[in-house]
Amino acid sequence: MSGPLIFIGTYIVRNGKLEECKQRLGELVDLVETNEPRLIAFHIYLDQQGSKISVVQVHPDSDSMELHLKIVSEHLTGAFEYLETTEREQLFGTPSETLAEMLDAYAEPGIPGTFMPVHEVGFTRASVR
């Protein structure tokens, strides 16, 4: 049995664009929450200086992340109005061939990445009491 697909991307916020970044990311979260019922988790973290964000996504499978990329594609094309560059991207789990191609299309040359395709052990809880 394959495990979930987890993506973590860390990005540098453009100088003077933090408030715009927060507003646009809030809109992104609303879009994702409304249109992606299978997505297990979608969180955005900000460092203390307000200079970096990390986006953490937990998908049940590759199909879920493919749908995610289709839904957010319009947002992604305008994201670099408030984000300067990608610092790092990490992918945990095995993407489908289609998803791998989609991710390659968005990849920036020279950006460090981590790819961990083998889900050895673990579990996911849908809710914690």
Side-chain angles (χ1 to χ4, degrees):
M1 181 172 107
S2 66
L5 195 73
I6 300 169
F7 176 84
I8 303 171
T10 301
Y11 309 93
I12 307 297
V13 178
R14 287 190 181 278
N15 286 334
K17 296 289 188 170
L18 180 59
E19 292 309 312
E20 178 184 352
C21 179
K22 288 179 178 181
Q23 177 186 342
R24 298 275 304 273
L25 292 174
E27 294 167 2
L28 174 65
V29 168
D30 289 343
L31 175 71
V32 169
E33 186 175 24
T34 301
N35 294 288
E36 298 184 53
R38 294 187 62 231
L39 187 61
I40 296 168
F42 188 80
H43 297 278
I44 300 173
Y45 294 87
L46 182 65
D47 71 352
Q48 289 180 321
Q49 295 78 24
S51 62
K52 294 180 190 180
I53 63 160
S54 286
V55 179
V56 180
Q57 304 172 30
V58 181
H59 296 269
D61 52 36
S62 197
D63 288 346
S64 173
M65 189 159 178
E66 288 174 30
L67 175 64
H68 171 76
L69 289 175
K70 290 174 186 172
I71 288 172
V72 303
S73 64
E74 185 176 314
H75 173 84
L76 292 176
T77 59
F80 287 98
E81 294 171 12
Y82 58 89
L83 297 177
E84 189 170 320
T85 189
T86 302
E87 182 179 90
R88 177 175 198 81
E89 293 185 327
Q90 300 173 281
L91 183 66
F92 301 89
T94 305
S96 67
E97 188 174 313
T98 300
L99 179 57
E101 290 171 4
M102 293 171 85
L103 291 171
D104 284 345
Y106 285 110
E108 292 180 61
I111 300 301
T114 301
F115 178 49
M116 305 288 283
V118 180
H119 179 255
E120 187 64 26
V121 295
F123 65 91
T124 301
R125 287 194 171 116
S127 63
V128 178
R129 294 182 185 188

